[in-house]
Structure formats: structure tokens, C-alpha cells
Amino acid sequence: MGDLEHPFQSFLNDLYLKYKPLTDGTLASYIPELAKVDPNCFSICVVTVDGRIFEVGDAHQLFTIQSISKVFVYGMALAEHGRDKVLSKVGVEPTGDPFNSLIRLDESSKRPDNPMVNAGAIATTSLIKGTGATERLNQMLDMFRRYIGRDVYIDMSVFMSERSTGHRNRAMAHLMRHFGMIDENIDEALDLYFQQCSLMVNCRDLAVMAATLANKGVNPITDDRAIPSHYIRDVLSVMYTCGMYNFAGEWAYKVGIPAKSGVSGGIIAVVPNQVGIAVFSPPLDSHGNSVRGIKVCEDLAREFELHMFDLPMGCSHFRQTLANEP
């Protein structure tokens, strides 16, 4: 629990109580291990770029990061290869399709549309440097450690569950190999992709990661740099246009800040130069987004005018509002 005396903490507490009774949505079931989680888990966490933490609910309940990992691996690929190389392998166009839609390659370039859908994420993961699977995994885990501020690990049961049932992703990878978008190490790239999705995090971790993006790539708790600042624009742009899959347009209209969801029930949202927001609640809507998570973010955006096109533009008032409150 955050600062109980702070009015914003009271607002989060009320928001939590407002949506705790909401039982809409269903658990992800295409990965067997995800169907076993407790649907009643619910937490909200907000971390400012100067390191203040506000949280409510099961903020330390661990779960697998799933597709939210795509944001950070995309940033890692940019840092290792630069914009031009990454853009030659993965586009930045919204699809309007579900996250696991069968691959639709660009007619001329043969690239996946963007790094937030599964096909594009597999292509992005295949770019991680290293001399073998273990080194590449360790490089990726070290990147996540800088964002989170602690050592992280993979849930092996979820990894094996994804690996044994991921035939759709495997088919996408082979088709991309056919068009030269990934190299011949298909199984290694897929294992790394399944491992990144099986990373164990909690709601506070996600909020710190989002706040790191808001803070120009520097973790506001540890002061470690997680990504060069000049790639933050790339990451946030793709989150804004593609992060919520075929709900991206409605999200941009109603909430209006960069975000990314995952089928385990997490959502992160970034208010640049201000705060990182995270919500965890496993029941999902038809788009694969957390039902409670969407509601919480809509209320936060409306109450505090967080939409990118609200006035004053750029949400510069939000952190000031928090700083001015006792």
C-alpha cells in the first residue's frame, strides 16, 4: 500500500473498490497454465519519474509478463541494431487484427506489420545478440533487470506450456524464415520468445518499468539506465499505435497514452516525463485486454486529463498535482 495520507492514494483505493466487484471477462485458456490463475487477483500501481510509489491490491502477486515483454525486447533490438536494421525486419503499422492473427506480411518488404503482434515480436526477439541460446537469454534477463531493479526469472511451467502448444507461433516463424525475416535458428528464436513471455513480474515491477520509459529510459528507483533515451520515442510511438491490438484505436480515443497489454491480465501505460501506470487483473475481454485494467486506465485518464490531447498538452500537470498534495 502507498502513502495512506496522500489524496492520490485515496483515489486509487476508491478506484480499486469500485472495480473489485466487476466479474466480467474470462481467463486466457489457449496457454493451459494461464487458465489456472486466480481471477480475483487485482492490483493498481503508479510510479512517478521521481520514484514515488502508489499502489493498492495484490501489487506483489507474481504472474507472467506475456506480451508486455514485447515492448522491452523491441527497445533492446533498437539499442543493439539501430532503427534502420530493426525497421528492415519489422514494420510499425497497426494491423487492426488480434494479437495472434496469422501472419500478414507486407507485400513488398515481407516484414511483419509491427513488433507488438506475435509475428513481429518473434522477428524482434530473433535479433537479440549472443553466441548461443544461454548467452542470449542472459542478455535479455539483464535488460529486464535494469528496467525492474531486481533479478528476474522464468516460470518454467508456463514456458513449457507455451512451447508445447505454440504451433501457431511456430508456423509464423517458419513462414518468416521462408521470406528471410529471421535466420535459420528458428527453434532458438521461438524458445527465447516463449521464455520472454514467461518472465515472472508483479504489478509494482510493471509500473517501475513503465516509469522507466516515462523517465527517458532511466529506472527512477535505481537510477540504472535501461535503454538509450533516443529510442524512447520509437518504443512509445509503437505502443501508442499498436500496443492494444485491435482495441488500439478505441484506446487512443478514450485513454490517449502509450500502453501495452498482456493475456495474463497486465496493462502498462506511460505518461511521458510524468508516471508509469500498471494494472493487473486476469479476466480478459474479447480483445485479450484486462477488463478491470481498461476501466481503471479510462478513469485515471478522465480524472487527471492524461490524454495526450487534453489541455494542458503533454500532461505536465499530473506529477505537479501529486507533488503539491500532502
Side-chain angles (χ1 to χ4, degrees):
M1 188 75 71
D3 181 359
L4 295 177
E5 301 296 324
H6 200 290
F8 182 66
Q9 183 64 54
S10 297
F11 176 83
L12 284 190
N13 295 346
D14 291 343
L15 199 56
Y16 176 85
L17 294 174
K18 177 181 179 180
Y19 290 116
K20 180 67 174 173
L22 183 62
T23 58
D24 294 355
T26 57
L27 296 176
S29 58
Y30 73 98
I31 300 171
E33 287 297 315
L34 294 186
K36 300 176 182 178
V37 302
D38 182 358
N40 296 310
C41 288
F42 180 30
S43 53
I44 309 167
C45 187
V46 175
V47 176
T48 68
V49 295
D50 54 2
R52 301 183 75 181
I53 299 173
F54 302 89
E55 61 187 24
V56 62
D58 310 305
H60 297 275
Q61 173 66 48
L62 291 172
F63 54 93
T64 54
I65 192 170
Q66 295 300 324
S67 286
I68 295 174
S69 66
K70 296 171 182 175
V71 169
F72 304 97
V73 175
Y74 177 57
M76 185 178 182
L78 287 167
E80 290 187 345
H81 297 280
R83 290 187 182 99
D84 291 343
K85 172 66 177 293
V86 175
L87 197 58
S88 73
K89 298 293 185 182
V90 186
V92 291
E93 294 298 327
T95 66
D97 294 328
F99 65 93
N100 62 349
S101 176
L102 284 174
I103 190 170
R104 184 184 63 197
L105 298 178
D106 181 272
E107 290 184 8
S108 57
S109 69
K110 306 304 181 187
R111 301 173 303 176
D113 285 314
N114 67 70
M116 300 295 110
V117 293
N118 288 9
I122 293 167
T124 303
T125 301
S126 73
L127 294 173
I128 293 177
K129 291 181 178 179
T131 55
T134 300
E135 183 177 332
R136 296 172 77 200
L137 174 60
N138 287 336
Q139 296 270 51
M140 185 183 72
L141 291 176
D142 187 59
M143 176 270 294
F144 280 114
R145 180 195 57 77
R146 292 193 299 274
Y147 274 103
I148 293 172
R150 64 173 178 83
D151 290 335
V152 291
Y153 63 92
I154 304 299
D155 185 308
M156 288 305 296
S157 62
V158 175
F159 164 59
M160 294 305 296
S161 182
E162 295 210 35
R163 192 186 198 208
S164 62
T165 60
H167 306 301
R168 194 180 187 95
N169 288 323
R170 211 168 290 280
M172 294 178 192
H174 280 278
L175 187 56
M176 286 189 290
R177 171 59 188 148
H178 172 72
F179 286 110
M181 290 298 104
I182 64 175
D183 64 24
E184 67 276 5
N185 297 314
I186 295 175
D187 289 337
E188 187 176 312
L190 282 166
D191 277 356
L192 194 58
Y193 173 68
F194 295 142
Q195 286 167 332
Q196 79 180 53
C197 292
S198 304
L199 187 81
M200 295 298 288
V201 294
N202 58 44
C203 193
R204 177 185 281 202
D205 293 335
L206 290 185
V208 172
M209 295 169 81
T212 300
L213 294 175
N215 196 36
K216 302 181 179 67
V218 175
N219 185 314
I221 308 300
T222 66
D223 287 329
D224 283 346
R225 176 162 292 284
I227 180 175
S229 59
H230 52 279
Y231 292 123
I232 295 294
R233 184 195 71 181
D234 306 66
V235 172
L236 295 184
S237 295
V238 173
M239 287 175 67
Y240 188 71
T241 57
C242 308
M244 303 300 284
Y245 308 121
N246 48 336
F247 186 70
E250 191 168 341
W251 174 274
Y253 184 79
K254 289 184 175 180
V255 183
I257 53 178
K260 185 72 191 79
S261 61
V263 293
S264 57
I267 293 179
I268 63 169
V270 178
V271 185
N273 304 311
Q274 304 296 310
V275 302
I277 300 167
V279 187
F280 172 58
S281 174
L284 310 177
D285 62 19
S286 60
H287 301 290
N289 299 321
S290 169
V291 174
R292 291 191 188 110
I294 295 288
K295 294 291 187 182
V296 166
C297 292
E298 288 176 349
D299 280 18
L300 281 169
R302 181 170 55 251
E303 178 70 20
F304 295 99
E305 298 181 306
L306 300 183
H307 196 292
M308 289 177 65
F309 304 124
D310 277 334
L311 295 176
M313 298 287 271
C315 320
S316 60
H317 60 291
F318 187 39
R319 186 157 59 98
Q320 191 63 38
T321 298
L322 296 183
N324 288 340
E325 292 176 342

